[in-house]
Amino acid sequence: MVALDEQELLRRLPSDEDVFWSLWEPHRTDLFNRCRYWMNNNDHDAEEALSFAMMKARDRMPVHAHKITNLKGWLLRLAKNVTVDINREKNKFRYGVDNLEELIACSDDRQNKTYPTSRERLIGHELYQNICSHISKLPERLRDTAYFHFIRELSYTEIATKLSITTENARKRVQCARERLRLPLNEYLTGASERPVTASCDADMELQKLISGSCDRSVIDEVGGVITATRYIPVRTVNGTQKYCLHFLFQNPARSNQKLESIRCYLKRHHNGWKKRLFMAELLFALGRWDEALDAYQIVLRKNQNLINIYLRLAEIYKDREDKIAARKYYIQAKGITSRPDTIAHINGLISCLDGDFQNAMFSFENAYKKVPENPFHLLAIGDCYSNLDYPYKSLECYDKILDKDPKNIMALSKSSILLADLGHFNEAYTRALSLTKIDPHNYAAICIIINYRINSAWVRGKAGQKTVVMIRRVVDNQPDLSEHYDLLALYYIRRGLWRKARLLMADHVEKNPNSASAKYYYAKCLIRTGASEEIVHALSAAHRLNPNDVRICKAFLEVSSNDLSNKELPILIEEILERFPKDSTILPVIATCIINASNDEDRALDLMRNLIQSSGNLARANFEYAKILILAKRYEESINALNLAIDQIVSPTFNNIELPALHQLGLCYQALELDEKARTCWRRLAGCATRTILFKPAIGNFYLAIAAAELGDLKDCIKACKAAENFQLYYPLRSQLNKLWAIIDAWR
């Protein structure tokens, strides 16, 4: 009858929890006696075991009620298991390590541990700190895997996905970590060694920091990687035009062709893996063989779809090819395979950059940076956005933050060196470029900055000149189709006075690369520098036809076209370029100048420049360009205010591309208003600034020193500076002003 009552109560148990007590109480005394026996007649431990058995029975009995036919036997078996677990857990603190996973599980007081007493809690916490200490001492590849397996309890598949390795590799690393941890933990548990000093109460926090660093590197792998080299890679756009893009590479492309052949032979024998194929794809990418690289990347993705870096690389390729639709597709696919908020925010920023919305892109990158501030790729992207929005010094701040933490970061060093050179901080750019070549000897961006510095410093003769030309020849031989390198060689010839040789060099380069807009652009630059104006318009017109989206080409073409006021197509060209580059700070001043020269529409030109000042982060440059437009409009008082503002806003006290021409224009404005005393003060300032500049750019420094000396009536110093500027091969259009200065000197004589 009792059995029948128990069966009835068991049937009612799943829907009525209070029934449990009616089933439990009749067996409580027997269960306690058995627990007391199993716990070596210790009443306290027996009560504790019975309590845990009761809680476990209350959780599990409703689930298994329909299977229970002998309730007392089921409860005795459950109580027996509880006591065995408690005794086993106690013994783990007395004897060595048999199962590391169980040891760590029972020691971690933050897990849902089974039946901890107060004493065991203290011992377990101490053991957990000791385990964390030993894990933190493992090599990085084993430490990360041990942390995720033993502490975070992730599966092998999850570990493999997180660390971008195979499942078999994850298992092997866990096995190696287990072997390394067993001996020191055995010594600690058996008392064979004293407790390590590092096993403090902060050992788990120290381990978290180490693993956090590894996780951050994993995040970097998602949105970039460990950069080992840089290259200019030839790119053919969807429109058929060819250009060169600076790319940062994950694989060092030294001996690329030899490596490529070796990998191809390997893949013929072992065609199932994806890692070697990914390495081959990166080599093909670095060599500019992008069609082959795309095929290799696609094969890798079919074998492993969780490699977010490949999606980002594919998007990068199509972006450079100016195929925005394909680039957007791969960015969206990359977002679909990651759950990390910072990575998603970063990819949103990349999509905004694709659309030209750099303000929104910066907002996304800043969100990503707030979530993972240790990831330098987020900060690099913010710096790039500032640069595109014409905030160069804020951009430099971002790059400098990265270099404060990692002085050998190739991307930050490269970008900051290029930006410093563009801003005219040649000495600092040269210093950083030298540091960069020690890390990446074939970094062409750094080598070009060094060569430019040497040429502008007139290191073109003697042993210094030999070293300069050797450096130029080396970069030309390594990338013979890159027009920028031929431009450096042409500059070298110009500085040596071999102007005709420079023109012939660039003409030959154009003939060998008839479809290269860049070649025609640099040929036109060479013609401008040497004063050969016959073919300039034709060369820039051809370059503009080949690549109308290059802002440098559009700017130069517009400058040359504005000299021909009879050109009826000039207003159409102005509107076309303004529509294409409505906010570009480098071309808007040229457009404003053309508007005044072509249509005399001063109000529109000045409105353009006022908008530029409001949107620009480089206020010194913006105010200087605004002042030049005011001078064209003959508003000298307003231009004086703008020029003084520009000079006050100059960030660097050394040469900066603005101070010399700004002081020159300021002196001319004072003269136009017949403020002779202020003009003389301005010419003296110009002379002092020019003297400092001679150290960095002797030709330009001597040119402005000659102007200042002429205005101050110092004929001797003026002649000396003019001769020095000629000796250092000052090129056009400043050379034409120097010729006018010689005419004034002849009149004085």
Side-chain angles (χ1 to χ4, degrees), residues 20 23-38 46-47 49-50 53-54 57 61 71-80 83:
F20 171 78
L23 292 167
W24 172 263
E25 284 300 329
H27 304 287
R28 188 180 184 286
T29 304
D30 290 342
L31 289 171
F32 174 75
N33 291 332
R34 299 303 295 175
C35 286
R36 187 170 178 274
Y37 173 74
W38 289 323
E47 285 286 353
L50 185 64
M54 183 267 292
M61 194 183 294
L71 180 60
K72 183 176 181 180
W74 187 86
L75 289 172
L76 285 171
R77 171 61 63 183
L78 185 144
K80 174 68 173 176
T83 55

Side-chain angles (χ1 to χ4, degrees), residues 126-127 130 183-196:
E126 178 184 309
L127 177 59
N130 202 283
L183 179 61
L185 289 175
N186 260 327
E187 291 177 351
Y188 168 71
L189 291 171
T190 57
S193 68
E194 294 183 0
R195 188 180 311 156

Side-chain angles (χ1 to χ4, degrees), residues 312-498:
L312 297 181
R313 179 66 91 190
L314 289 168
E316 187 180 10
I317 289 173
Y318 284 109
K319 180 183 176 182
D320 284 339
R321 285 185 163 183
E322 298 178 9
D323 187 349
K324 292 185 178 181
I325 296 173
R328 185 186 299 275
K329 181 185 79 172
Y330 283 108
Y331 280 140
I332 292 171
Q333 287 181 354
K335 278 173 61 178
I337 64 169
T338 181
S339 59
R340 300 190 70 95
D342 62 304
T343 304
I344 293 171
H346 190 101
I347 296 173
N348 285 334
L350 293 174
I351 294 172
S352 296
C353 287
L354 192 65
D355 298 332
D357 187 359
F358 296 109
Q359 195 70 49
N360 194 36
M362 188 165 63
F363 177 75
S364 298
F365 291 136
E366 284 175 345
N367 279 343
Y369 177 64
K370 288 175 184 176
K371 296 182 192 319
V372 185
E374 297 83 4
N375 186 343
F377 281 87
H378 300 327
L379 205 50
L380 281 165
I382 295 170
D384 292 345
C385 285
Y386 274 128
S387 186
N388 285 309
L389 292 169
D390 197 26
Y391 286 83
Y393 291 102
K394 286 190 176 182
S395 182
L396 275 175
E397 287 177 11
C398 294
Y399 301 146
D400 287 343
K401 281 183 183 178
I402 297 169
L403 293 173
D404 288 341
K405 295 180 180 178
D406 180 12
K408 295 184 178 181
N409 188 292
I410 291 177
M411 292 184 75
L413 275 173
S414 299
K415 290 174 181 287
S416 62
S417 300
I418 294 169
L419 191 54
L420 285 165
D422 290 342
L423 290 169
H425 306 317
F426 300 111
N427 203 27
E428 191 173 352
Y430 176 71
T431 303
R432 293 196 185 193
L434 285 176
S435 302
L436 189 52
T437 53
K438 293 176 182 177
I439 305 166
D440 178 16
H442 301 288
N443 189 301
Y444 290 120
I447 293 171
C448 289
I449 290 170
I450 293 169
I451 293 171
N452 252 314
Y453 183 87
R454 296 178 68 87
I455 291 172
N456 288 324
S457 300
W459 297 352
V460 294
R461 300 185 187 278
K463 291 185 178 180
Q466 289 176 5
K467 185 175 181 180
T468 302
V469 78
V470 166
M471 292 177 69
I472 298 171
R473 292 289 186 190
R474 191 178 298 153
V475 297
V476 170
D477 291 342
N478 279 321
Q479 290 192 306
D481 297 329
L482 190 58
S483 302
E484 282 83 348
H485 295 165
Y486 284 90
D487 181 55
L488 289 173
L489 188 55
L491 268 177
Y492 172 80
Y493 288 145
I494 291 171
R495 287 296 186 205
R496 293 203 61 178
L498 306 172

